[in-house]
Every structure is written in structure tokens, then in C-alpha cells.
Amino acid sequence: MTPFDFSLIFVLLLATQFSVRLYLAQRQLRHVMQHRDQVPIAFGERISIENHQRAADYTRAKVSATIFEMLVHSLWLIVLTLGGLLTQIQSWIASVWLVWMMLFQLGVMVLWPSWIAPLFNRFEPLQEGDVKTAVESLLARCGFSSQGLFVMDGSKRSSHGNAYFTGMGKAKRIVFFDTLLAQLSPREIEAVLAHELGHFKHRHLVKRLLLSAAFSFAALALLAWVMDQSWFYRGLGLIPLPGSQNAAALLLFSLVLSVFLFPLQPLMSWWSRQHEFEADAYAASQTDAADLESALIKLVKDNAATLTPDPLHSAVYDSHPPAPIRIARLQQLRLELGSTVPAAR
């Protein structure tokens, strides 16, 4: 392969990616705004027209910002590679890039839950009460142990509610945003946590880590091969400095990899949505599915999530199923269970 051939392939893929993403963004804008003035029938009594319109306007602003970001990112990538800017600054960037990546991974996996996160937010033990009682009962039923239950002051930055698991080994803990505790009832919080435990029980994190490890192995193998191919550097406008070929290859590979992997986006989104359905089903087996349903409705309102996403846009990007689909599945689960209150409770 010649450098010109690879340059042409890169430009065509980048242009295709930008065109497809722009097309999907325009579909999303058009679909959401077409349904802005009418709440879906299934939510007519639970979502006001004002909340529905606020979500549509928020989606429009977010998609418009995404379009601008796409344009800037694509142009910047061209300037860095074919424009030759990377050649001028490669020695400094390569060194900083490698150090930053190592520190970032170390921070996320080991230092974040106990050392870094408390620098930005305050974490306090969950107080005694109905929420803690319900949560501890759920954890006992599910056989899940953690270092403790904590409340984070997420309200100082946002009104959005959330809950998550974090840490590894002895540092493993469950964290609730104070906004979530304020928005949901104890039963709804229990249902949301049961959903997260569903991810744990189905080993979704392990599966994703294994996939990530397999992908990393394949990517490193590919990197080792292209590292010795002159067309890889010259086709992307880079002339490695003496002694910096390895670092330059890693930097260049990291910059352009997303362009070549974009076709996998719909598959990864589909896989993630299947995990969400499995976690919802687990939650319905441990708690009342109606509690998770009502919690989702409240979170949809709070997060200004649209109830009417474009189906194709959602299929490509959404890691979580749209709320109407998730709630329809939960209602079906309630019918299949034959009771609104699972025997486990």
C-alpha cells in the first residue's frame, strides 16, 4: 500500500463517518421536534406537556452542540495529521500522551474511589432509615457485599440523580447522589439499586472487561504491524523523528482509531442495551417492577430525556433503551411474574 492510498482511505472513512453522524443528528432533530407538541399516549398521565417540550428543546440543543463538536473534531484531526501539525509537535505530545494515559488508568482503577473523588465531592455514610433498611435487605438477598453505603453531594453541580458502584476489592462501595435520595421513594431506590445489582449478577462488567482485553490485544497486534509500515506514517502526514517511532506510532494510532472503528458503534450499542434489559429483568425479580417503572419516569423528567428519539439514531448511539421501550418491557415482566410484589420481598 502506498502513502497516497492510505491517505485516501483515511479521508474517505473520515468523510463517511462525518456524513453518517450528521445525517443521524439531523434525523434526531427532525424526529424529536416533530413530536414536540404531543406526549406519547402511554405517558399522557405521567409526563406533562411542559416536561415533554423541555426534553425536546434540551435534545435539540445537545444535538446542535454535537454537530458543532463533530465538525471541529474532524477539522482538527485533518490539521494534526494531513496538515502536518503533528510532525511539528510530535516529540512533546508523544511523551505527555503516554504519561497521561498511564496516570489516568491508575487513577480510575485504584485511586479514584478513596482518594480522588473525595477531592471533588463530599461522601458521607448513608444514614439509618427506610432507605438503608431496604438497601441492606436487598444486598443480603442478592449476596452482594461492599465496604459501605455512601451519599455524595451531587446537588452542588447538578440536579440529576444517580447511583453507582465504584472501587475494587476492599475499596468497593455503593454511592448514591443526594439528589437521587431526594427524588425517589425508598422502594424506588431499592429498585434502581436492584437494576445495578443485575449488572453485577449477570457479570456484565466482567464481560465488558474481557471484550476490552480482547480488543486491546487485537489493537496492540495491529499497532505492532503498522509500526513498521512507512505508509502508515506518511499516509497520515507524519514523519517520525529519529528514536521516536514507537511513541509516534502509538499517538497516531490512538488519534485515528475511532475513525476506523465507527462501523462497530451500532453493534456495541445493541450489546449494551441487551445488558440493560437483563438488569431490568433481574430488578423485576427482586423488587416490584412498578417501582423501577415509576423511578424511570421520575429520572426521565429530571434528566430531560426525550421520549421520542429517532429509532435509527437510537439504534446507533443509545447504550440504554429509550424509556418507552424499557417501560413496556417492565410492564410485560409484571404480567409474566403474575404478581406486582415478588416473593423475594
Side-chain angles (χ1 to χ4, degrees):
M1 180 181 294
T2 68
F4 176 79
D5 292 336
F6 190 60
S7 295
L8 184 59
I9 291 173
F10 172 67
V11 171
L12 288 175
L13 285 176
L14 182 60
T16 301
Q17 180 195 53
F18 179 82
S19 299
V20 170
R21 295 185 65 189
L22 180 61
Y23 168 71
L24 292 172
Q26 291 174 335
R27 280 184 60 106
Q28 176 80 333
L29 282 175
R30 184 167 55 252
H31 193 274
V32 169
M33 298 314 295
Q34 284 177 346
H35 296 83
R36 180 181 183 274
D37 297 324
Q38 183 176 359
V39 180
I41 296 176
F43 297 87
E45 298 181 356
R46 294 184 286 184
I47 299 289
S48 68
I49 185 64
E50 291 78 16
N51 282 326
H52 181 66
Q53 290 176 336
R54 179 170 66 93
D57 294 339
Y58 175 73
T59 300
R60 176 173 56 185
K62 185 168 63 174
V63 173
S64 298
T66 299
I67 293 174
F68 177 75
E69 179 185 350
M70 285 165 26
L71 177 61
V72 172
H73 177 266
S74 298
L75 292 176
W76 179 239
L77 190 56
I78 289 293
V79 170
L80 279 174
T81 55
L82 302 183
L85 181 59
L86 198 57
T87 296
Q88 304 301 319
I89 58 177
Q90 63 176 304
S91 59
W92 177 80
I93 290 183
S95 300
V96 173
W97 181 274
L98 291 174
V99 172
W100 182 87
M101 286 296 293
M102 289 188 292
L103 291 177
F104 177 78
Q105 292 179 8
L106 176 64
V108 170
M109 297 182 63
V110 180
L111 302 178
W112 179 264
S114 301
W115 298 94
I116 299 178
L119 297 176
F120 300 95
N121 290 96
R122 187 176 68 254
F123 293 83
E124 297 180 348
L126 180 64
Q127 299 298 312
E128 298 292 337
D130 292 341
V131 171
K132 186 173 183 180
T133 299
V135 167
E136 288 180 338
S137 175
L138 174 66
L139 295 177
R141 294 200 306 270
C142 298
F144 184 90
S145 60
S146 69
Q147 184 191 39
L149 308 173
F150 294 86
V151 180
M152 189 187 85
D153 57 339
S155 57
K156 75 177 187 179
R157 290 191 179 88
S158 171
S159 63
H160 292 183
N162 199 4
Y164 62 91
F165 298 126
T166 186
M168 300 175 63
K170 294 182 179 180
K172 186 169 57 179
R173 58 176 63 179
I174 299 173
V175 179
F176 299 96
F177 281 31
D178 55 356
T179 47
L180 185 75
L181 298 180
Q183 294 162 3
L184 304 184
S185 70
R187 287 170 63 98
E188 290 168 341
I189 293 171
E190 182 185 8
V192 169
L193 181 57
H195 169 89
E196 298 303 327
L197 288 173
H199 288 303
F200 170 75
K201 282 295 184 179
H202 285 287
R203 300 183 179 276
H204 291 158
L205 178 59
V206 173
K207 293 175 182 177
R208 294 183 187 193
L209 287 175
L210 289 175
L211 179 64
S212 177
F215 171 78
S216 297
F217 178 81
L220 288 174
L222 179 61
L223 174 62
W225 177 64
V226 299
M227 190 178 294
D228 295 326
Q229 311 300 320
S230 62
W231 51 260
F232 173 69
Y233 303 97
R234 296 185 179 277
L236 294 173
L238 180 64
I239 303 176
L241 296 175
S244 67
Q245 180 170 321
N246 291 349
L250 177 59
L251 175 58
L252 194 59
F253 191 78
S254 301
L255 283 173
V256 304
L257 187 61
S258 62
V259 176
F260 294 87
L261 293 182
F262 180 70
L264 296 179
Q265 177 74 47
L267 179 61
M268 298 307 299
S269 296
W270 172 85
W271 193 46
S272 178
R273 289 194 297 272
Q274 300 312 302
H275 286 178
E276 296 303 320
F277 285 135
E278 290 177 355
D280 280 350
Y282 182 82
S285 72
Q286 297 295 325
T287 63
D288 191 340
D291 292 328
L292 182 56
E293 180 183 339
S294 60
L296 287 174
I297 293 292
K298 291 180 180 180
L299 293 175
V300 164
K301 291 180 181 178
D302 178 64
N303 296 331
T306 179
L307 294 172
T308 56
D310 174 68
L312 182 58
H313 184 277
S314 178
V316 173
Y317 289 115
D318 288 351
S319 61
H320 287 60
I325 297 177
R326 287 185 71 181
I327 289 174
R329 287 277 190 106
L330 286 171
Q331 292 173 344
Q332 181 62 35
L333 284 170
R334 292 181 66 192
L335 294 175
E336 293 174 358
L337 289 170
S339 171
T340 58
V341 181
R345 296 183 65 179

